[in-house]
Amino acid sequence: MKSVVTYPPIGAIELCTRKNVLRTTFSVSARRVRITTSPLLVKTIFPLSEERIEWIMAARRKIQEKYVPHPLLPTTEIDTCFFKIRFVADNRLVGSKRFACRKEAGAMNVYYAPDFDFSKQEMQDVLHRLLRQILRKEALLYLPMRLTENAERYGFCFDSVRINGATSRWGSCSAIKRINLSFYLMLLPADLIDFVLVHELCHTEQMNHGEQFYRRMKTIFSDYDLLKCRLKKAAKDSLFLRI
């Protein structure tokens, strides 16, 4: 169950309750503060301690300073795994219909009304939300299918997979083999997506990053060190976390 609580001076906090959660966790990203806890522990969450508030505010400032949203212009082109996202003015878009999206010749064209003002912050926010929706939709179509293919190919088993907008990690795997994948993976080339997917699948066997984990990864990827370096560079150089 999910709800939103307004808590000064933090503002909106996403409160998630799950029956299988044994402890309370706090997470901060560029776009939200989330508390995940058991329904039995909800009444113990608030009020937050001064130390916890200070930690949340400091974490948020650090993230916002590091990941400034990428400014979008009519000439902006964004490379995803399978196509390029680009903006195209369309005189047919008027009134309340401001955008239309269509795949054409290896590109996802985002059509916008000619009077759309890219310089306004509220319009930038609209565009960023639209791009995240595009990435999420494509991720839902591709990532679960590709995860299953990799699991079958290398002999892994997982319980379920969820697609989210995580901005602090590409993916995660729980102790009960539930895998979470960020839709920002779609900004990576196909071989790096597979590298991340197999990384999470390896966690279904080894929850830590110990010797056995790396041995399993390097058995599958003989060029493990090169792929790891490329992944780090891609996260730094691409629009990851800034859309």
Side-chain angles (χ1 to χ4, degrees):
M1 183 177 178
K2 186 183 298 184
S3 61
V4 176
V5 177
T6 301
Y7 194 90
I10 297 170
I13 296 177
E14 191 176 280
L15 182 61
C16 300
T17 56
R18 298 174 184 169
K19 292 181 180 179
N20 60 340
V21 170
L22 300 179
R23 63 190 180 90
T24 299
T25 59
F26 296 79
S27 63
V28 181
S29 72
R31 284 180 288 278
R32 57 121 179 98
V33 176
R34 174 181 291 170
I35 301 175
T36 304
T37 190
S38 164
L40 300 176
L41 299 176
V42 170
K43 292 183 179 180
T44 69
I45 301 299
F46 302 106
L48 299 176
S49 68
E50 290 297 325
E51 291 79 9
R52 178 63 67 182
I53 294 174
E54 184 178 343
W55 177 84
I56 290 174
M57 299 296 282
R60 177 190 280 167
R61 285 194 298 271
K62 184 177 180 180
I63 292 172
Q64 290 174 341
E65 289 170 2
K66 186 175 181 180
Y67 300 114
V68 178
H70 186 81
L72 300 172
L73 304 171
T75 56
T76 297
E77 293 188 344
I78 300 169
D79 290 317
T80 75
C81 181
F82 299 111
F83 54 82
K84 185 185 296 290
I85 301 174
R86 60 192 181 191
F87 299 104
V88 182
D90 191 333
N91 291 320
R92 295 169 296 179
L93 294 175
V94 294
S96 61
K97 187 172 178 58
R98 310 293 292 172
F99 299 100
C101 298
R102 185 164 61 247
K103 280 186 182 179
E104 296 176 320
M108 173 68 78
N109 290 332
V110 178
Y111 295 95
Y112 63 91
D115 62 345
F116 185 85
D117 191 348
F118 280 76
S119 67
K120 292 183 178 180
Q121 184 56 51
E122 59 266 32
M123 297 298 101
Q124 286 285 316
D125 294 341
V126 169
L127 290 176
H128 280 87
R129 286 197 298 270
L130 180 61
L131 292 180
R132 290 195 292 271
Q133 290 172 7
I134 292 173
L135 292 178
R136 182 184 294 277
K137 182 178 179 180
E138 294 301 316
L140 286 168
L141 292 173
Y142 179 73
L143 295 181
M145 174 191 70
R146 190 59 182 164
L147 184 69
T148 299
E149 290 174 352
N150 276 293
E152 293 175 349
R153 180 178 182 182
Y154 300 114
F156 293 103
C157 293
F158 64 93
D159 177 75
S160 60
V161 57
R162 295 180 63 183
I163 306 301
N164 58 37
T167 57
S168 59
R169 62 180 68 183
W170 299 110
S172 63
C173 179
S174 73
I176 55 177
K177 301 184 179 182
R178 291 179 179 173
I179 293 177
N180 293 291
L181 299 171
S182 171
F183 56 67
Y184 287 103
L185 279 167
M186 301 308 296
L187 295 174
L188 298 177
D191 61 338
L192 289 184
I193 292 178
D194 281 343
F195 185 68
V196 173
L197 298 184
V198 173
H199 179 107
E200 300 310 330
L201 287 169
C202 282
H203 279 312
T204 64
E205 296 180 351
Q206 300 292 329
M207 285 302 296
N208 54 40
H209 290 103
E211 183 179 345
Q212 291 183 335
F213 174 87
Y214 288 113
R215 187 183 301 121
R216 185 78 157 106
M217 283 290 289
K218 291 179 179 180
T219 298
I220 297 171
F221 298 104
S222 58
D223 55 347
Y224 172 86
D225 292 330
L226 175 61
L227 289 169
K228 184 177 179 180
C229 288
R230 285 181 54 206
L231 183 62
K232 286 185 176 181
K233 187 175 188 302
K236 181 179 180 181
D237 295 346
S238 77
L239 297 180
F240 178 58
L241 304 186
R242 291 187 286 148
I243 287 181

